[in-house]
Amino acid sequence: MTQPAPRPAAPVRPVVNDFTINVATVNGSGSQTSNATLVDALFHMGIPVNAKNIFPSNIKGLPTWYSIRVSGDGYTARRDHAEVLVAFNAKTLDQDLRELPTGGVMFYPDHLKPSAPRDDVSMYPLPVNAIMKEQNVDAKFRDRMMNMVYVGALAQVLGIEMDAILDYLNRNFAGKAKVVASNYDIARAAFEWCAANVVKTDPYSVQRMNATTGKILIDGNTAGALGAIYGGCTVVAWYPITPATSLAEGLIEWMPKLRRDPHSGANTFAIVQSEDELAAIGMLVGAGWAGARAMTSTSGPGISLMAEFAGYAYFTEIPLVVWNIQRMGPSTGLPTRVSQGDLLSTYYLSHGDTKHVVLLPGTPAECFEFGWRAFDLAEALQTPVFVNSDLDLGMNIWMSEPFAYPDRPIHRGKVLRAEDIVALGGSFARYRDEDGTGVGPRTLPGTDALGGAYFTRGTGHTDAATYSEHPEEWLKNLRRLDRKHEHARSVVPAPVISGGGARTGLINMGSTEPGIVEARALLDRAGLRTDALRVRALPFCQDVRAFIEEHEEVVVVEMNQQGQLAILLRTEYPEFATRIHSVAHCDGLPLSAAFIAARVQDALTAPQPEEVPA
């Protein structure tokens, strides 16, 4: 067996519930169960936790890192370094060790030999092969199950409760007692070996808290799928693409359980895996026109393919919902890395003067809420609605408050029934704006009333839906669509504003929120008070303008290269353009609080042009 690790000479101050674990393994090696076990065990010990999976875009063989942040203060943003390293990948072991900060701790299989061991970190070699042999693990399962060794080792050295580990395995492998036992026995063997052989020299440990009571663990894609189901989704057309596939898979899993006729058992929904993204949105156009609540999930490359149909649905005013789980572009880019680079492309998707409604969830709870709210908005405004989530929010595990059931009945908008057509004298004007909202009445196919039909066309038309190339009719139609977009400002989700009275304001969107929350605390300790506004939808509502007007300087923080949110804000409010600073960064990783705080301070000290009077 491996000899106990030597003890450093200098004593160290204990670090409790405030560190990050970085698990380095090989993609496809079965570490998902082990990592999920650790996250769930910590969560059920009442300790706030967040997990981020940094994985390659191949199926198997390349390096993957799984980051588990433990924060008694409840922070969930990615940190720039991890103090606890699990080095189970021979190809990255030396690099991972070099990146470990002084005072950190490294767990690694004893058959892997670092080329440059360090004496400023604690190094715990683990007898992985010996434990697997003792547990009589079948050779064909050995590479996958060896990951449970680091689960047991971390549990013993850091203080993670074995009962919490067993509880997760029982829930995850319900009804599979042998699978539970084989995994737990390996973890228990590693735990006992560490208890007998490892002399703890690192300062890190966890202690039970009560900070997760009432909360759940969930990823944003599953939350969005559940929200869509509760919003009455009946048609899904999709094509597989990372990182959006798991949202469609969530619908495939849950719709049969929640959307079946209770009497006949028949499905009340249709899910179609199409041949490509172009076909998927084409199906949505047809389904939305027919009255179904229809949606798809995709990512940037799919959005590009959907441009023409998106413009058609915008101009013909057909409701549909597109979830865009953003990843790194341009082109194929980095399919398994996060970005917020599709804001402009989604907002203006298609040719001509097109502007779409775009929702920007920042939490799993908002993914659920926007899952159903997007359908209400699409039908109320008779337009495509895009929901721009991203890989970090969509695919990673987050703590969340339980989801709130929709607070109102399904809203179908201005849908005329047969009796309404009769009351109107047997005719109606499909695109006539009667109330200044820019939204006209519509009927659904099969409305049993003479005069209830109309012709849907992507060419020029009058307010009665008849063909026209007359310039005045064209301008009249575009101006009405502009009024509809202006009306949307009053019905889309309002921004979330925090703080008050500071001279500096921060503006962000989506999954940058955890970093912003923690960065504001760092800035406050550095003597810089800030207020914050998180944009939750396009077009901007009046609250956004008021926030900018109330602050002498505004810093816009986002995960893209060109500062797309800042561009939109400067375009929308040119009179305030010079007070709007941009912190735009896009390297594929979620923004850390330390990075945000430093870049905000840099942005505020950089020379700026004088503001031009309005």
Side-chain angles (χ1 to χ4, degrees):
M1 288 291 186
T2 303
Q3 294 299 313
R7 181 187 298 274
V12 289
R13 181 174 58 86
V15 179
V16 181
N17 294 350
D18 187 21
F19 55 87
T20 296
I21 304 168
N22 183 29
V23 181
T25 58
V26 177
N27 195 38
S29 63
S31 59
Q32 182 176 352
T33 296
S34 304
N35 296 333
T37 301
L38 291 168
V39 173
D40 190 86
L42 290 163
F43 176 78
H44 281 89
M45 287 176 64
I47 305 169
V49 65
N50 177 256
K52 298 189 186 301
N53 191 13
I54 310 299
F55 61 103
S57 55
N58 77 327
I59 302 300
K60 186 176 181 180
L62 291 182
T64 182
W65 294 268
Y66 195 85
S67 175
I68 303 172
R69 180 167 185 186
V70 179
S71 173
D73 293 326
Y75 293 127
T76 57
R78 184 185 72 86
R79 295 172 71 236
D80 291 320
H81 63 273
E83 296 87 351
V84 179
L85 169 64
V86 175
F88 268 49
N89 186 345
K91 292 183 178 180
T92 66
L93 183 143
D94 286 334
Q95 179 64 34
D96 292 333
L97 178 56
R98 283 194 294 271
E99 295 175 357
L100 190 64
T102 296
V105 54
M106 174 181 175
F107 297 79
Y108 64 102
D110 61 3
H111 60 272
L112 301 182
K113 307 298 182 184
S115 60
R118 293 172 52 182
D119 59 9
D120 62 338
V121 299
S122 298
M123 300 181 65
Y124 302 144
L126 305 174
V128 174
N129 289 336
I131 290 175
M132 300 302 284
K133 184 177 180 180
E134 290 172 358
Q135 295 298 313
N136 295 315
V137 178
D138 191 306
K140 64 182 178 181
F141 299 125
R142 190 167 296 168
D143 288 344
R144 300 179 64 84
M145 298 189 68
M146 64 183 286
N147 296 304
M148 292 304 295
V149 171
Y150 68 71
V151 173
L154 290 172
Q156 198 284 321
V157 176
L158 300 181
I160 302 172
E161 298 172 4
M162 289 299 290
D163 285 348
I165 288 171
L166 179 58
D167 178 63
Y168 172 75
L169 293 174
N170 280 322
R171 284 183 282 110
N172 188 55
F173 298 113
K176 300 177 180 179
K178 290 184 178 179
V179 177
V180 172
S182 60
N183 280 275
Y184 183 74
D185 287 348
I186 294 170
R188 169 58 68 181
F191 182 98
E192 292 174 351
W193 184 90
C194 288
N197 294 276
V198 171
V199 178
K200 183 173 174 64
T201 58
D202 69 275
Y204 307 104
S205 66
V206 296
Q207 292 180 3
R208 177 172 280 275
M209 297 177 61
N210 191 30
T212 62
T213 301
K215 291 183 170 60
I216 61 174
L217 287 175
I218 195 168
D219 63 272
N221 282 355
T222 299
L226 290 170
I229 295 170
Y230 277 78
C233 177
T234 55
V235 174
V236 180
W238 69 291
Y239 183 77
I241 184 171
T242 302
T245 295
S246 60
L247 197 154
E249 290 173 340
L251 292 164
I252 292 169
E253 177 184 359
W254 287 100
M255 283 187 116
K257 301 174 183 178
L258 300 173
R259 299 287 296 178
R260 276 189 172 149
D261 185 281
H263 303 293
S264 67
N267 290 338
T268 59
F269 61 91
I271 301 177
V272 181
Q273 182 176 326
S274 61
E275 61 267 37
D276 54 34
E277 292 90 347
L278 187 63
I281 192 171
M283 294 179 192
L284 301 192
V285 169
W289 177 83
R293 289 197 154 189
M295 66 165 286
T296 189
S297 62
T298 190
S299 193
I303 291 293
S304 297
L305 288 172
M306 294 178 179
E308 186 172 1
F309 264 129
Y312 178 81
Y314 170 83
F315 193 67
T316 56
E317 302 178 62
I318 294 173
L320 56 90
V321 173
V322 177
W323 276 78
N324 175 24
I325 315 303
Q326 297 168 95
R327 72 188 205 186
M328 181 72 75
S331 188
T332 303
L334 300 174
T336 60
R337 297 292 187 268
V338 69
S339 168
Q340 294 177 324
D342 297 345
L343 189 68
L344 290 175
S345 63
T346 308
Y347 190 43
Y348 295 114
L349 188 65
S350 198
H351 55 280
D353 294 306
T354 306
K355 285 184 180 179
H356 295 291
V357 173
V358 182
L359 306 187
L360 304 165
T363 66
E366 287 182 352
C367 288
F368 177 84
E369 178 192 344
F370 293 178
W372 63 263
R373 195 177 293 278
F375 286 115
D376 278 6
L377 288 169
E379 293 205 298
L381 297 169
Q382 297 174 18
T383 195
V385 170
F386 292 81
V387 186
N388 274 15
S389 180
D390 62 48
L391 183 148
D392 185 24
L393 177 58
M395 292 191 71
N396 287 324
I397 298 296
W398 298 84
M399 295 186 304
S400 175
E401 298 295 334
F403 302 146
Y405 194 84
D407 57 4
R408 61 191 183 199
I410 287 176
H411 178 49
R412 300 302 308 267
K414 297 179 179 180
V415 178
L416 298 179
R417 298 167 296 177
E419 53 266 37
D420 299 320
I421 300 297
V422 172
L424 290 171
S427 66
F428 79 107
R430 168 67 181 91
Y431 299 110
R432 184 168 296 164
D433 180 11
E434 300 282 3
D435 57 8
T437 64
V439 182
R442 66 174 176 138
T443 57
L444 301 180
T447 300
D448 189 16
L450 188 64
Y454 65 93
F455 197 91
T456 302
R457 64 180 82 238
T459 52
H461 48 261
T462 68
D463 63 4
T466 58
Y467 182 76
S468 174
E469 294 186 13
H470 196 283
E472 286 302 317
E473 291 290 351
W474 184 261
L475 286 174
K476 182 179 176 182
N477 204 27
L478 288 186
R479 288 165 181 164
R480 180 184 58 80
L481 289 171
D482 284 344
R483 286 199 303 276
K484 186 203 293 191
H485 197 70
E486 287 300 309
H487 169 62
R489 298 180 191 275
S490 65
V491 296
V492 297
V496 174
I497 300 174
S498 54
R503 65 179 296 274
T504 300
L506 307 182
I507 294 180
N508 70 299
M509 61 179 169
S511 69
T512 57
E513 180 68 3
I516 290 288
V517 170
E518 188 176 359
R520 289 183 63 213
L522 295 176
L523 290 168
D524 190 59
R525 288 199 290 270
L528 177 61
R529 280 191 61 228
T530 61
D531 300 330
L533 178 145
R534 177 163 58 86
V535 176
R536 298 202 299 161
L538 300 177
F540 301 124
C541 69
Q542 178 59 32
D543 290 347
V544 177
R545 187 189 193 282
F547 183 86
I548 297 173
E549 188 173 20
E550 291 167 1
H551 293 86
E552 296 178 27
E553 295 183 289
V554 173
V555 182
V556 184
V557 179
E558 52 190 309
M559 286 189 294
N560 54 62
Q561 181 68 19
Q562 298 174 350
Q564 297 180 24
L565 180 57
I567 289 171
L568 284 178
L569 290 167
R570 290 174 182 139
T571 301
E572 188 87 13
Y573 312 113
E575 66 273 28
F576 301 128
T578 56
R579 73 176 66 177
I580 298 174
H581 309 264
S582 177
V583 170
H585 185 75
C586 195
D587 63 0
L589 300 176
L591 301 183
S592 71
F595 176 86
I596 293 172
R599 289 291 296 271
V600 166
Q601 291 174 311
D602 290 345
L604 294 174
T605 56
Q608 293 291 321
E610 293 185 6
E611 190 164 302
V612 179

